[in-house]
Amino acid sequence: MRPTKIFILAMLLMVATLGTKAYIGTKLLTHIKKESKGFAVIELFTSEGCSSCPPADALVAKIAKEDKDMPVYILAYHVDYWNRLGWKDAFSSADFSKRQNEYASYLHLRQIYTPQIIVNGKTEFVGSEEGTLRSAIKTNLQVASPAQLSLGISAVEKGQATIKYSADGTDSNTVLLIAVLQKNAQTKVERGENVGRTLSHVQIVRKLQKVALNSKTGTVNVSLPNGYDASGWELVGLLQNTSTGAITGAAKIKGTSATI
């Protein structure tokens, strides 16, 4: 049976309507991404000497890929207290173990552990809990940021980056933290709980520098680790309340541009 003119017109109208809805849906999703009220800072405490940590490392790698266009900031700190058990994590630092202990104090925890994730300095859970992490990200993206931070690099030379910053909505208890991150790395583990495994890491914190906010704007020099290059590394800034541990603002620099 041959289709009638009315049937053909109806089909064309339906296709046009569906196309419009698809376009609106795509446009709305783009708008949501651009107009996110808040942000999510994901701080993972991990170690190459911990057999429970690779799933958490894989989870934040997945989130980093999925949310690369969103105000989601991932920082992976390799703690040093696992080193005594047979394998020294080359990315580990006593400073990162100290930061985790500081969070234990803020959050009234009896002990520290790996893998642990802390979101915006306020919520903590086991680092491999994907559902909990996704829920925390969604919740924090919907809450307006208490403070605003913008960053820009004015120069990189002789192993130092000169960073200009502007911070609004802060109080006297707020400090600026600048994290220098290596975006990717792999390690073949030869001893310890992960012996024989090749581990992949993302967003590895190689340096964390604290800056006192004596004014809303300023300039700070940050020492860059050996091997730094703009394509494989990035810098992230955090505004943190030293009384509560809460992260109130965040921004990152990619190359020479900053993203709020």
Side-chain angles (χ1 to χ4, degrees):
M1 181 172 62
R2 298 177 64 183
T4 65
K5 289 183 178 181
I6 294 176
F7 176 77
I8 293 173
L9 288 172
M11 289 298 293
L12 289 173
L13 179 61
M14 182 176 69
V15 170
T17 302
L18 289 174
T20 301
K21 287 182 177 179
Y23 171 75
I24 292 173
T26 302
K27 189 174 181 181
L28 179 61
L29 179 60
T30 302
H31 177 75
I32 290 172
K33 286 185 176 182
K34 289 182 178 180
E35 300 299 326
S36 294
K37 297 178 181 178
F39 64 92
V41 171
I42 301 163
E43 296 182 85
L44 169 66
F45 293 91
T46 184
S47 171
E48 291 182 344
C50 162
S51 61
S52 300
C53 288
D57 295 331
L59 174 58
V60 296
K62 180 163 65 172
I63 295 296
K65 185 176 181 180
E66 291 177 0
D67 293 347
K68 60 184 175 65
D69 297 323
M70 301 287 283
V72 175
Y73 309 94
I74 296 173
L75 295 86
Y77 301 94
H78 289 236
V79 298
D80 72 337
Y81 50 83
W82 278 93
N83 291 351
R84 65 182 181 273
L85 300 180
W87 176 251
K88 184 176 181 180
D89 188 332
F91 302 113
S92 66
S93 170
D95 290 339
F96 304 152
S97 299
K98 179 182 177 182
R99 181 162 179 78
Q100 190 180 23
N101 274 294
E102 289 172 348
Y103 271 128
S105 178
Y106 286 132
L107 300 173
H108 308 291
L109 304 177
R110 292 186 177 182
Q111 60 184 9
I112 58 175
Y113 63 91
T114 56
Q116 181 186 35
I117 280 179
I118 298 173
V119 179
N120 284 8
K122 298 180 291 186
T123 306
E124 72 87 24
F125 47 89
V126 175
S128 54
E129 293 180 356
E130 182 170 353
T132 306
L133 176 56
R134 290 187 181 279
S135 177
I137 292 171
K138 181 179 178 180
T139 297
N140 281 283
L141 289 179
Q142 294 172 345
V143 178
S145 304
Q148 293 75 46
L149 174 66
S150 61
L151 300 171
I153 291 182
S154 59
V156 177
E157 57 183 0
K158 296 181 180 179
Q160 280 196 335
T162 301
I163 298 173
K164 292 183 178 180
Y165 65 84
S166 175
D168 290 307
T170 61
D171 60 24
S172 59
N173 293 318
T174 303
V175 296
L176 170 64
L177 299 171
I178 303 291
V180 183
L181 308 178
Q182 184 176 343
K183 291 196 283 189
N184 295 281
Q186 283 192 331
T187 302
K188 184 176 180 180
V189 179
E190 298 176 357
R191 291 178 298 278
E193 290 191 1
N194 288 313
V195 61
R197 301 181 67 175
T198 298
L199 304 180
S200 297
H201 310 299
V202 299
Q203 300 300 100
I204 311 156
V205 180
R206 301 299 303 274
K207 180 181 179 62
L208 187 67
Q209 183 168 326
K210 184 182 294 186
V211 181
L213 289 177
N214 298 318
S215 62
K216 289 187 176 181
T217 61
T219 302
V220 58
N221 292 322
V222 176
S223 297
L224 301 173
N226 292 333
Y228 173 88
D229 69 85
S231 62
W233 298 63
E234 67 182 21
L235 289 88
V236 170
L238 309 176
L239 295 173
Q240 186 164 36
N241 187 302
T242 57
S243 293
T244 65
I247 306 294
T248 59
K252 68 179 176 181
I253 302 173
K254 208 169 185 178
T256 57
S257 63
T259 304
I260 304 301

